[in-house]
Amino acid sequence: MTRAIYFDHNATTPVAATVADAIAGALALTGNASSVHTAGRRARQMVEEAREKVAELVGASPAQIVFTGSGTEANNLVLSGTASRHILASAVEHDSVLAAADNIEQMPVDGDGVIDVAALAARLSDLDGQALVSVMLANNETGVIEPVAEIARIAKEHGALVHTDAVQALGKINVDWTDLGVDFMSLSAHKIGGPQGVGALVINEEIPLQSLIKGGGQERSRRAGTENVPGIVGFGAAAKLAATNLDEIEEIKTLRDHLESGIRTIAPDTVVFGESVDRLPNTTCLSMPNVSSETQVMKFDLTGIMVSAGSACSSGKVQASHVLKAMDVVEEFASTAIRISLGHGNTMDEVEHFVSQWRKMYAQANPNKLKGAA
Ligand code: PLP
């Protein structure tokens, strides 16, 4: 039987047993968090406890957390809720940012995928305080970390608001609301071991924000709709766990580095995107000459290894990555790139098995480069 190796933690990461138990506990209870009776108050208490845990993970206060139905919704809420402003977003943002409003001007990034801060500052001075800057904390495809605190400082000098999509960064690096100095920050539960379909927007309460979903007055009138109590409880449990799991990240980085050096031993000229700048410790995005991304994903899957081609967030459709395009990566490398994202539970043995499978595939496609390895 083929062994299953899950190397796609940036797409979604498994729900921990304690989180599943917390969700099951919440599902077993009846109660709408808006009801005033005993069952309703119990549901409300569970929501508020989860809010405290999520707030604590990012160093914000519970009142700043607005629960949403996903990270996508959090991004949409802030971009459409402040849409009277001119939006400047980096060209490597997730689609849930780039597609969230019509008035988005994309800002260039360099060859490593880091936003051109000087170009951003120049546009901010033209816009005279009427802008919202949206720059992700870490990229989902390459793991490249953006200089968000510096961007926030510059944006403030120009009177602009700042949003960061911290969906991928959360649980992988320290994410601190105060250090970042932003006005809005998007989070998603399922990237930190919580359930899918729950997110949060952390807000600066003083800034007016139009709600996206209209109806009841839930989430202090910022997000209508009966709260997803089990999902929110799961998010809270995952946030609590994420604070402890952060200690493990050095081990995950050792695995990632071992994987990259193993591949480099086979093919010294392998392109690893964003390699020379700060990256998430669990992520690598690299090319294999002469094997398309889709073929690699399928062939690895046949050997039990799950990786992804660029962003896995677009319902399985494989298309040229807008992230690599924005980085000016030539077609030959962009069309042969895969993302490997490690997480809790991965082992050195799995990494070595992956490297040996990579070697086989590489040797088959590049017989003159690696004779006898297939
Ligand atoms: N932002 C980034 C950077 C992501 O990687 C993703 C999902 O992969 C999202 C936002 C969307 O989050 P969700 O899956 O909760 O909608």
Side-chain angles (χ1 to χ4, degrees):
M1 204 179 80
T2 22
R3 60 205 283 201
I5 298 181
Y6 188 74
F7 278 175
D8 202 12
H9 290 263
N10 286 11
T12 197
T13 196
V15 173
T18 50
V19 175
D21 287 348
I23 296 170
L27 273 171
L29 297 172
T30 316
N32 182 320
S34 299
S35 302
V36 292
H37 50 58
T38 307
R41 290 202 308 276
R42 195 170 47 208
R44 166 62 48 207
Q45 190 187 346
M46 293 175 108
V47 167
E48 296 315 317
E49 281 171 9
R51 201 186 302 279
E52 279 169 25
K53 289 176 192 146
V54 173
E56 195 179 332
L57 180 62
V58 297
S61 75
Q64 292 178 269
I65 307 293
V66 179
F67 285 118
T68 62
S70 59
T72 296
E73 188 191 318
N75 284 339
N76 274 260
L77 171 58
V78 62
L79 266 72
S80 62
T82 53
S84 55
R85 289 178 174 256
H86 187 91
I87 300 170
L88 300 175
S90 90
V92 294
E93 293 304 303
H94 191 259
D95 283 339
S96 57
V97 164
L98 293 178
D102 296 330
N103 56 334
I104 297 182
E105 180 180 342
Q106 294 191 18
M107 300 309 298
V109 297
D110 65 16
D112 286 314
V114 179
I115 189 166
D116 181 339
V117 177
L120 177 69
R123 276 305 282 139
L124 281 168
S125 35
D126 297 342
L127 291 165
D128 194 28
Q130 282 314 302
L132 169 79
V133 176
S134 182
V135 178
M136 67 203 326
L137 191 47
N139 187 268
N140 42 306
E141 295 183 31
T142 59
V144 166
I145 296 173
E146 301 291 340
V148 172
E150 184 191 353
I151 290 165
R153 190 180 43 74
I154 296 168
K156 298 282 144 173
E157 285 169 9
H158 294 281
L161 300 180
V162 185
H163 163 244
T164 191
D165 172 348
V167 164
Q168 286 294 344
L170 193 68
K172 298 174 187 136
I173 55 171
N174 189 36
V175 174
D176 186 88
W177 170 263
T178 312
D179 291 351
L180 290 170
V182 296
D183 300 295
F184 300 101
M185 178 163 74
S186 302
L187 310 174
S188 176
H190 74 105
K191 309 289 185 180
I192 63 162
Q196 296 172 353
V198 192
L201 184 68
V202 189
I203 58 165
N204 173 343
E205 292 173 277
E206 283 164 20
I207 297 171
L209 180 72
Q210 289 283 318
S211 71
L212 177 67
I213 300 182
K214 301 189 173 37
Q218 291 91 349
E219 296 298 288
R220 299 183 176 199
S221 299
R222 291 188 175 102
R223 202 271 185 179
T226 300
E227 290 90 344
N228 169 4
V229 179
I232 290 171
V233 166
F235 194 178
K240 195 168 164 209
L241 207 61
T244 355
N245 281 352
L246 214 48
D247 300 343
E248 258 181 35
I249 205 74
E250 269 309 306
E251 288 163 38
I252 292 175
K253 180 174 184 302
T254 306
L255 296 181
R256 193 273 314 265
D257 292 349
H258 190 78
L259 187 152
E260 287 180 351
S261 65
I263 285 175
R264 275 271 157 70
T265 310
I266 304 164
D269 52 358
T270 299
V271 180
V272 177
F273 301 102
E275 183 180 28
S276 56
V277 294
D278 275 351
R279 276 183 302 157
L280 291 177
N282 76 318
T283 307
T284 184
C285 180
L286 42 83
S287 285
M288 181 191 287
N290 296 324
V291 190
S292 75
S293 315
E294 303 89 297
T295 304
Q296 288 181 63
V297 171
M298 283 186 298
K299 284 192 166 177
F300 277 122
D301 195 36
L302 289 173
T303 69
I305 300 170
M306 290 163 264
V307 295
S308 86
S311 168
C313 294
S314 35
S315 62
K317 63 177 190 263
V318 181
Q319 49 187 213
S321 151
H322 73 278
V323 173
L324 298 183
K325 262 192 198 158
M327 289 162 65
D328 253 341
V329 171
V330 292
E331 174 61 23
E332 179 195 346
F333 294 132
S335 61
T336 58
I338 59 164
R339 175 187 72 186
I340 299 129
S341 49
L342 308 178
H344 185 68
N346 287 141
T347 63
M348 194 56 97
D349 186 45
E350 290 178 337
V351 166
E352 282 174 356
H353 184 66
F354 172 81
V355 173
S356 73
Q357 293 300 324
W358 196 95
R359 180 185 170 90
K360 273 190 198 162
M361 214 186 289
Y362 175 79
Q364 273 166 5
N366 302 276
N368 298 329
K369 289 197 178 172
L370 196 63
K371 290 198 180 78

